[in-house]
Amino acid sequence: MIVRTRRSQTGIQKATVIALAVVLALSTSRLTNAQKHAGGSHHGFSDATHWAQVFESPERTKWQKPNEVVKAMKLEPGQTVIDIGAGTGYFTRRFAKVVAPSGEALGLDIEPAMIDYMEADSKKLDLKNYQARLVKADDPELAPHSADVVFFCDTLHHMEDRVAYFQKVALALKPGGRVIVIDFEKKPLPVGPPPEDKLSREEVVAEFHNAGYRLLRDHDFLPYQYFLEFEPEK
């Protein structure tokens, strides 16, 4: 029979308390991370069905104002529009309709599931000028002087080394080409990622300046996002 002394019992109690504290800390950490990923910027997008429900929600239309956005972009038939981080093609399909019949809208994404979704979407809509392409996270892999407009919506906060990326994008622009950015204001909002995962308007303008661009236009009709147009410095 094993007889525990008061000292050994006290030691066991202390060890139990410490173990419980470690478990609680790990559980809290996992919960915090899960909450952050649920609303934040660094989650995966492999579940296209789930994200289609988010991106294509009728509620999004109310604050995203996609028709007003496309109208403000002043696209023309025959232009080539590149939608980087296109997701489910929410904007890509709209661009395709505007630049048809001779223009092209190309949705780029790093997630194969999103490419599959867009390809099915383009077939369903019978939009032959709506294409999708898988690309690397650090390179849009665009041919020189191939794009009239490059578009980013709620995408930049996912990217690393954005200045280098913007420089690659500049090489792909045709003369007179533009880069358009829509992203969430860096403050608490009822939609989008938490503030710590966002980029402020000032940060984005500064990074484009460092990449050799100038701010061309600043639209202010979106309730939760800034809407900026850039062009390479002459």
Side-chain angles (χ1 to χ4, degrees), residues 95-106:
F95 300 153
K97 293 175 182 178
V98 175
V99 302
S102 56
E104 180 184 22
L106 177 60

Side-chain angles (χ1 to χ4, degrees), residues 7-57:
R7 179 177 296 178
S8 64
Q9 290 173 340
T10 302
I12 291 172
Q13 290 171 344
K14 288 181 179 180
T16 302
V17 171
I18 292 171
L20 288 173
V22 170
V23 170
L24 179 60
L26 289 172
S27 299
T28 302
S29 175
R30 291 190 186 108
L31 177 59
T32 301
N33 287 334
Q35 290 171 333
K36 180 177 180 181
H37 293 324
S41 62
H42 302 298
H43 42 61
F45 293 92
S46 59
D47 188 347
T49 301
H50 165 73
W51 289 109
Q53 293 175 346
V54 176
F55 297 153
E56 305 292 337
S57 167

Side-chain angles (χ1 to χ4, degrees), residues 160-197:
E160 305 289 340
D161 198 357
R162 288 179 292 274
V163 170
Y165 196 98
F166 300 155
Q167 290 171 337
K168 293 176 182 177
V169 167
L171 298 175
L173 292 174
K174 297 178 183 179
R178 297 169 290 152
V179 175
I180 294 177
V181 174
I182 294 176
D183 220 314
F184 290 106
E185 298 282 358
K186 192 177 177 67
K187 60 184 180 182
L189 295 170
V191 295
E196 62 268 22
D197 287 340

Side-chain angles (χ1 to χ4, degrees), residues 112-154:
M114 292 302 177
I115 301 304
D116 292 342
Y117 187 98
M118 282 190 281
E119 289 177 343
D121 189 39
S122 66
K123 289 179 182 178
K124 179 178 68 176
L125 297 172
D126 195 27
L127 290 172
K128 295 180 174 55
N129 67 330
Y130 166 16
Q131 303 292 324
R133 192 170 76 206
L134 188 69
V135 294
K136 301 173 184 176
D138 61 351
D139 192 342
E141 302 176 281
L142 296 169
H145 311 301
S146 61
D148 294 286
V149 176
V150 173
F151 180 79
F152 298 91
C153 182
D154 304 337

